[in-house]
């Protein structure tokens, strides 16, 4: 009896300690940033500067302070065909300008380099796991995915998106269309149909370099505040968006899919 009582007391104490170590925040936000080879150096630099400027902007800081708890938890990583753990900036609290500036400085100090492949599915899967590694309790959990092309490496994007949203994670998109490719049509339509998901999910397109910083700041403010984004009219297409278009455009895709055709 004493042994059982001691065990119950230890479990209760452990639960109380765990509860005490969990900090409430308005949102747990993961920034998943594209560094795939389709991003040239200029685009990569514009993207980095956009995130740094947005995090330091007074409007972003004020949006954080205006939340119910007045703080958010934020993390960051870069992705291409794979995700390197070395690109991950661990979870940190932002509740004011000093913390926002410190987080922006960590991004600013990172070297800029691109890598091969575009695995949006891998980025979503990696981002979803990060929520299990923190000690925060957010009213919302959001993965913010930026990218300039469709998924073309690793697992298909739809199962990864659906697995994340089934966990209550919202996925928003930033479609970088500064140098659009006609090969797969409109990237914002692709993101709307194949990448984003969850309650209130949205995608913002960026078509001009000078709009990048404004779009990122607007996106972060919407994610932090939880406000509904303005209605976005999606152009009606003659055919449904093909969520495997990136994979199909890869060299030798058909040969890998139907090897018997080579015989």
């Amino acid at each position: 009896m004493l042994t059982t009582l001691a065990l119950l007391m230890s479990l209760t104490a452990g639960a109380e300690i765990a509860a005490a170590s969990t900090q409430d925040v308005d949102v747990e936000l993961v920034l998943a940033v594209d560094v795939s080879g389709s991003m040239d150096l200029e685009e990569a630099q514009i993207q980095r500067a956009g995130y740094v400027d947005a995090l330091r902007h007074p409007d972003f800081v004020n949006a954080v302070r205006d939340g119910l708890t007045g703080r958010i938890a934020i993390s960051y990583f870069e992705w291409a065909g794979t995700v390197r753990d070395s690109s991950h900036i661990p979870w940190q609290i932002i509740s004011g300008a000093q913390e926002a500036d410190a987080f922006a400085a960590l991004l600013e100090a990172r070297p800029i380099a691109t890598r091969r492949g575009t695995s949006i599915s891998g980025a979503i899967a990696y981002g979803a796991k990060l929520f299990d590694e923190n000690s925060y309790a957010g009213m919302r959990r959001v993965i913010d995915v930026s990218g300039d092309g469709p998924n073309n490496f690793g697992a298909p994007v739809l199962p990864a998106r659906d697995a994340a949203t089934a966990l209550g994670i919202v996925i928003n998109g930033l479609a970088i269309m500064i140098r659009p490719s006609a090969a797969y049509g409109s990237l914002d339509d692709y993101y709307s149909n194949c990448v984003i998901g969850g309650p209130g999910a949205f995608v913002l397109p960026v078509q001009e370099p000078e709009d990048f910083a404004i779009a990122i700041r607007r996106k972060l403010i919407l994610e932090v505040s939880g406000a509904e984004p303005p209605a976005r009219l999606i152009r009606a297409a003659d055919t449904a968006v093909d969520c495997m278009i990136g994979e199909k455009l890869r060299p030798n895709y058909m040969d890998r899919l139907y090897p018997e055709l080579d015989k």
Side-chain angles (χ1 to χ4, degrees):
M1 177 67 72
L2 289 176
T3 302
T4 302
L5 180 59
L7 176 60
L8 289 172
M9 291 178 65
S10 67
L11 290 175
T12 302
E16 290 175 350
I17 292 172
S21 65
T22 300
Q23 187 172 7
D24 290 334
V25 294
D26 291 309
V27 62
E28 300 167 57
L29 177 61
V30 172
L31 304 180
V33 176
D34 182 7
V35 293
S36 60
S38 56
M39 297 275 291
D40 62 29
L41 183 58
E42 181 187 8
E43 283 183 314
Q45 290 172 332
I46 292 171
Q47 178 177 233
R48 172 69 58 78
Y51 277 102
V52 169
D53 291 346
L55 288 164
R56 286 175 169 156
H57 199 279
D59 289 349
F60 168 73
V61 176
N62 290 335
V64 171
R65 287 174 171 165
D66 288 343
L68 188 62
T69 69
R71 57 182 175 267
I72 68 168
I74 190 169
S75 185
Y76 170 100
F77 69 88
E78 296 168 348
W79 60 273
T82 57
V83 178
R84 292 179 179 172
D85 289 335
S86 59
S87 75
H88 175 217
I89 297 178
W91 290 98
Q92 298 187 32
I93 287 286
I94 292 180
S95 60
Q98 185 173 355
E99 291 161 322
D101 180 71
F103 192 83
L106 292 175
L107 269 64
E108 197 171 32
R110 286 194 53 77
I112 297 177
T114 59
R115 294 183 281 110
R116 294 180 61 185
T118 301
S119 183
I120 302 174
S121 59
I124 291 173
Y126 187 93
K129 291 180 180 178
L130 294 180
F131 293 106
D132 297 329
E133 300 175 2
N134 68 37
S135 58
Y136 305 111
M139 289 177 279
R140 290 172 291 111
R141 296 187 295 172
V142 178
I143 299 176
D144 177 328
V145 182
S146 71
D148 75 336
N151 192 79
N152 66 15
F153 194 85
V157 68
L158 284 179
R161 179 196 68 182
D162 293 345
T165 56
L167 298 173
I169 298 168
V170 174
I171 303 170
N172 295 325
L174 187 72
I176 303 169
M177 303 165 65
I178 296 174
R179 293 176 179 82
S181 170
Y184 49 77
S186 179
L187 185 64
D188 52 348
D189 283 344
Y190 175 87
Y191 262 69
S192 296
N193 287 273
C194 309
V195 178
I196 68 171
F202 63 92
V203 56
L204 287 180
V206 179
Q207 296 174 316
E208 301 294 338
E210 57 269 24
D211 296 335
F212 210 111
I214 297 173
I216 292 177
R217 182 168 73 246
R218 180 186 176 200
K219 188 165 184 286
L220 291 182
I221 290 172
L222 287 171
E223 289 165 339
V224 166
S225 66
E228 288 291 327
R232 176 182 177 274
L233 297 178
I234 300 176
R235 177 180 55 83
D238 294 332
T239 58
V241 174
D242 184 355
C243 293
M244 292 291 291
I245 187 62
E247 287 85 349
K248 292 176 180 178
L249 289 172
R250 288 189 66 195
N252 303 321
Y253 170 81
M254 293 302 292
D255 293 342
R256 295 195 307 273
L257 190 63
Y258 301 109
E260 68 273 10
L261 296 180
D262 292 337
K263 296 179 181 179

